[in-house]
Amino acid sequence: MSLHVDRLHQIPAALTETKRRRDAFVALDADTPASDVVRAFDRIGLPLVEVLHSAGVMPSVHPDADVRQLAETRQQEAATFATEMSLDREVFERLSKLELPADADAATRRRLEHALRDFRRSGVDRDEATRDRVRALQDRMVELGQTFDRAIAQSSKSIVFEGGHAVLSGLPADFLASHPEGEDGSVTITTDPPDALPIMMYADDVDVRKRLYMESMTRAYPENFDTLRSLLSCRRELAQLLGYDSWADYVTEDKMSKSGGRVAEFIDQVSNLSSVRGTQEYADLLEEKRKTDPTADSVELYEWVHLVERIRKQRFDFDSQEARAYFPYDATLKGLLELTSELYGVTFQVVQDADTWHADVVTYDLLEKGEVIGRFHLDMFPRKAKYKHAMMVDFVVGLDGEFLPEGGLVCNFSKPKEGDPALMLHTQVTTLFHEFGHLMHFLMARRHEYLAFGGISCEWDFVEVPSQLYEEWAWDPAVLARFAKKPGTDQAIPADLVQRMRAAEEYGKGLRMGIQMTYATQSLDLHRLDPATIDFDAITRQIREQRTPFREVEGTHQAAQFGHLNGYSAIYYTYAWSDVIARDLWREFESDVMNADKFGGYKDKVLAAGGSQDAADMVESFLGRPFSFDAYEAWLSR
């Protein structure tokens, strides 16, 4: 039995011990110092720290269906307990009566303030009937969320192209080599990212791209429409029970944005800035399409990525295949680790024979001055029933003097094999940097007195800042020259190629932001409307046409496989919100990207702070001023 499966079996005993600690908390003597009471409250969940998060990760990665089911069951048990705790009046009343001494430190004051805020947001002060309904809704939401995610994870499709390699004209040679023709001359392609991304970019045959797009955009349909409607209904009812107009207002209240209305304003602001550029780019794509289809009057969603690639090649003398030759997976990962080692002042050490959930997983210890300060696992290659995209996961939140942090990455890059170094597109390289930015944020926030402030515990609309910021190092010519080399040679990627690549990347950003604002609007609006009356396909079409020049492709059902509607609910906008802050922070680094002292200040004042301060205050402490929209506006307008 692996460590992570063993942790699943330990959760019931850990829950029992946590409940015992809860009872001990409410039985604390009345004269117990207030700061000690706050500390005891924070430690109630201590027995769960090393075991609980495995239940959140295993459903997305474990190859055994029985283990995935066990993990989901443990999640439900833990969620039920968390709901009970959030509605526990005895605990709430013990905390609400506290008067902290004048010399109480800022962390203790913040811990108490946030605890009382969260209790009230949960409905602890409502009547018994309301609290009973809150419990039922919370439990049901966990079940529905798991069902929604499971349907997406298990929805990978295989497509057989009877024409074989002949219909895959435009695809790189190594892609064709890794997808050999069968005995009947056909080729099988999946909807998983390592297949889908190259097909959409490079396949000359529009019918090939359309077929893949249609299969991808009908995954988890129709079952997830029913699940999504039920999930939205539960969220709406819960929010209204607690006195909010909508789930969007409820879920944003404790974020930087503070309200659904502010989020809507922000989405409009970004959309208005990007729309002029997006309209011009769409006209460019249509003109390009007409070179091979003179009567065309529109560009479809399964065409635009391919057309952008063609225009980039023509205008900027850039072919992503040319850059891809410099990014073999193993060397790229090694380069990322070496860069991170230098910037963060840490080292990485592979843990031999580590106990993991799959043979592909590689485990590393993180060391600082020779001392192990954390651990992480890299699960980087696709397989059946695994999460289909890229994410950072956490297993153990660091706590000063008690627990070292343990995290991981779950990705879907092509796996290297003999004769195939698994060359990466640069967009995959930036994805790797992005997720590693999340991981280092999590591992750095490890030295807090309070569990609640460890790891990535800042406001959710700040969460993407460290990851988006770290992507910028993947664009620097000098940084890339360290590791981006053609396999078997010392030939580093030329600086002029990086510059052309960057110029080409800038092209299409108006349309990209329009598409991002489509998702942000969809995420928000689905949580502001009455789920009983929502036509998911109709609202997707409406928003797509509102935010972009594109039309939704008839016969697709995008909402059914939009996984963020579970995990992010109404707050997909956080990617763009975080990008605003990340671009402001980047101004501090862009002239000297390897300035370890400057990076050390960022690490200490922003990353290591965890949730111990408001995100805006963390940023201001580093910049010496409040963050601004100016850098983002300048980027979007240039």
Side-chain angles (χ1 to χ4, degrees):
M1 181 183 298
S2 75
L3 169 66
H4 297 279
V5 176
D6 188 49
R7 286 174 172 175
L8 300 180
H9 290 284
Q10 294 176 38
I11 289 174
L15 283 169
T16 298
E17 174 59 17
T18 300
K19 292 171 185 175
R20 187 200 65 76
R21 294 173 75 97
R22 175 266 173 208
D23 293 342
F25 172 80
V26 297
L28 286 172
D29 291 340
D31 60 355
T32 302
S35 295
D36 291 348
V37 174
V38 175
R39 181 182 174 85
F41 168 75
D42 185 73
R43 295 298 195 278
I44 288 176
L46 207 65
L48 291 166
V49 171
E50 292 189 293
V51 298
L52 179 58
H53 289 276
S54 288
V57 179
M58 290 303 105
S60 297
V61 299
H62 204 282
D64 188 325
D66 290 338
V67 173
R68 296 196 299 270
Q69 180 58 58
L70 174 62
E72 288 187 0
T73 299
R74 293 293 183 253
Q75 274 187 300
Q76 292 165 5
E77 293 166 355
T80 296
F81 172 74
T83 299
E84 288 298 328
M85 273 294 296
S86 71
L87 296 170
D88 192 321
R89 281 195 166 177
E90 286 187 296
V91 175
F92 171 68
E93 289 171 1
R94 186 73 175 85
L95 288 174
S96 64
K97 295 175 181 177
L98 287 179
E99 293 187 11
L100 291 173
D103 61 351
D105 60 44
T108 300
R109 292 188 180 280
R110 182 177 178 85
R111 185 67 185 97
L112 179 58
E113 290 168 2
H114 279 212
L116 294 174
R117 177 201 68 187
D118 294 344
F119 267 117
R120 294 187 177 101
R121 279 173 48 79
S122 72
V124 71
D125 52 354
R126 304 297 172 125
D127 60 50
E128 185 175 354
T130 300
R131 286 184 285 119
D132 285 344
R133 184 58 182 159
V134 168
R135 291 186 185 93
L137 288 169
Q138 292 281 18
D139 288 347
R140 180 63 174 149
M141 285 159 55
V142 171
E143 295 172 6
L144 289 166
Q146 290 177 334
T147 301
F148 189 81
D149 288 345
R150 189 187 313 117
I152 297 172
Q154 298 176 358
S155 66
S156 179
K157 296 181 181 181
S158 294
I159 310 166
V160 177
F161 290 98
E162 294 179 357
H165 287 173
V167 302
L168 298 182
S169 170
L171 271 296
D174 61 335
F175 183 92
L176 297 177
S178 64
H179 295 78
E181 294 179 342
E183 291 183 2
D184 62 355
S186 67
V187 173
T188 300
I189 303 295
T190 74
T191 55
D192 292 344
D195 283 1
L197 182 59
I199 292 285
M200 298 310 291
M201 289 184 75
Y202 302 124
D204 292 328
D205 191 334
V206 67
D207 291 333
V208 169
R209 285 181 270 119
K210 181 178 181 179
R211 186 174 172 191
L212 177 63
Y213 185 84
M214 296 298 294
E215 293 291 345
S216 295
M217 289 296 146
T218 53
R219 290 179 297 128
Y221 174 82
E223 61 271 27
N224 260 2
F225 271 12
D226 292 335
T227 303
L228 179 58
R229 192 178 308 280
S230 297
L231 181 58
L232 294 173
S233 295
C234 287
R235 287 172 175 166
R236 180 180 177 86
E237 181 182 351
L238 178 60
Q240 292 181 345
L241 270 177
L242 298 175
Y244 298 84
D245 289 337
S246 68
W247 177 265
D249 283 330
Y250 172 76
V251 78
T252 54
E253 183 187 44
D254 60 350
K255 309 300 184 292
M256 297 178 77
S257 61
K258 302 303 181 187
S259 74
R262 176 67 186 97
V263 173
E265 292 172 359
F266 172 74
I267 293 172
D268 285 342
Q269 184 180 15
V270 174
S271 294
N272 291 337
L273 274 174
S274 63
S275 62
V276 174
R277 178 184 290 270
T279 299
Q280 179 57 56
E281 289 167 347
Y282 182 85
D284 293 344
L285 300 187
L286 184 56
E287 181 180 354
E288 179 65 23
K289 180 180 177 179
R290 284 175 175 161
K291 291 178 180 179
T292 53
D293 182 3
T295 63
D297 61 1
S298 65
V299 175
E300 303 293 344
L301 286 164
Y302 50 81
E303 297 175 316
W304 86 278
V305 173
H306 179 74
L307 292 169
V308 165
E309 183 70 12
R310 279 164 46 177
I311 291 175
R312 286 172 173 170
K313 191 171 184 178
Q314 296 164 16
R315 290 193 182 181
F316 305 101
D317 189 25
F318 174 72
D319 182 349
S320 58
Q321 285 301 313
E322 181 184 2
R324 183 170 173 262
Y326 294 91
F327 295 110
Y329 171 80
D330 286 333
T332 301
L333 176 62
K334 183 173 182 287
L336 170 61
L337 295 177
E338 290 175 349
L339 169 71
T340 305
S341 178
E342 185 171 341
L343 286 174
Y344 281 83
V346 297
T347 55
F348 302 94
Q349 182 174 302
V350 174
V351 180
Q352 302 294 339
D353 302 318
D355 192 355
T356 63
W357 56 90
H358 192 274
D360 283 347
V361 180
V362 180
T363 300
Y364 291 81
D365 277 340
L366 176 68
L367 295 87
E368 187 176 67
K369 298 178 181 177
E371 177 187 357
V372 176
I373 61 171
R375 173 170 288 194
F376 60 91
H377 312 278
L378 300 184
D379 185 352
M380 307 300 272
F381 312 123
R383 59 179 176 271
K384 186 178 180 180
K386 180 186 167 185
Y387 178 78
K388 300 303 180 190
H389 298 286
M391 65 177 176
M392 194 284 292
V393 295
D394 59 284
F395 292 99
V396 180
V397 175
L399 182 64
D400 194 26
E402 299 197 50
F403 297 114
L404 293 179
E406 179 185 347
L409 299 187
V410 177
C411 300
N412 284 274
F413 302 122
S414 294
K415 184 178 180 179
K417 53 190 175 184
E418 187 173 353
D420 180 3
L423 300 175
M424 303 174 72
L425 291 165
H426 187 260
T427 186
Q428 294 174 309
V429 176
T430 57
T431 294
L432 178 59
F433 272 66
H434 178 104
E435 298 303 334
F436 212 80
H438 279 309
L439 182 62
M440 293 306 295
H441 183 194
F442 173 77
L443 294 170
M444 291 299 101
R446 69 188 186 278
R447 291 178 173 165
H448 292 278
E449 177 185 0
Y450 293 106
L451 267 173
F453 298 152
I456 302 177
S457 52
C458 53
E459 299 99 313
W460 205 334
D461 36 12
F462 186 79
V463 163
E464 299 294 333
V465 171
S467 54
Q468 290 174 331
L469 178 62
Y470 211 38
E471 288 182 38
E472 293 296 332
W473 274 263
W475 288 101
D476 185 80
V479 169
L480 292 179
R482 293 164 161 241
F483 65 85
K485 300 178 181 180
K486 288 187 175 180
T489 77
D490 286 328
Q491 185 179 344
I493 189 168
D496 78 291
L497 174 55
V498 179
Q499 290 163 358
R500 284 185 281 124
M501 180 168 68
R502 192 67 200 246
E505 170 66 15
E506 292 284 297
Y507 184 80
K509 64 185 175 184
L511 289 174
R512 286 200 308 274
M513 290 314 303
I515 289 172
Q516 286 297 301
M517 292 306 97
T518 297
Y519 298 148
T521 305
Q522 182 184 26
S523 165
L524 183 69
D525 285 359
L526 288 179
H527 291 89
R528 301 174 92 185
L529 301 172
D530 182 356
T533 63
I534 290 177
D535 180 329
F536 292 116
D537 289 336
I539 194 170
T540 301
R541 285 194 299 271
Q542 174 190 332
I543 294 170
R544 181 82 68 185
E545 293 175 12
Q546 174 192 4
R547 298 298 184 194
T548 79
F550 297 110
R551 298 173 301 192
E552 199 68 11
V553 179
E554 193 67 31
T556 59
H557 309 283
Q558 180 266 346
Q561 50 84 58
F562 186 13
H564 287 78
L565 290 176
N566 179 36
Y568 276 59
S569 71
I571 59 174
Y572 189 90
Y573 79 92
T574 57
Y575 285 99
W577 186 284
S578 291
D579 202 17
V580 169
I581 302 172
R583 292 191 183 280
D584 199 10
L585 289 172
W586 175 241
R587 287 183 165 182
E588 296 294 307
F589 297 103
E590 60 183 342
S591 63
D592 187 5
V593 299
M594 297 307 299
N595 187 324
D597 290 338
K598 175 72 74 171
F599 198 91
Y602 162 70
K603 181 182 73 171
D604 293 341
K605 294 179 179 180
V606 179
L607 301 183
S612 64
Q613 303 173 49
D614 286 350
D617 292 338
M618 288 188 265
V619 173
E620 185 169 355
S621 71
F622 173 66
L623 293 177
R625 58 170 174 77
F627 74 87
S628 164
F629 195 83
D630 293 348
Y632 185 81
E633 183 173 5
W635 167 77
L636 201 52
S637 301
R638 73 181 181 219

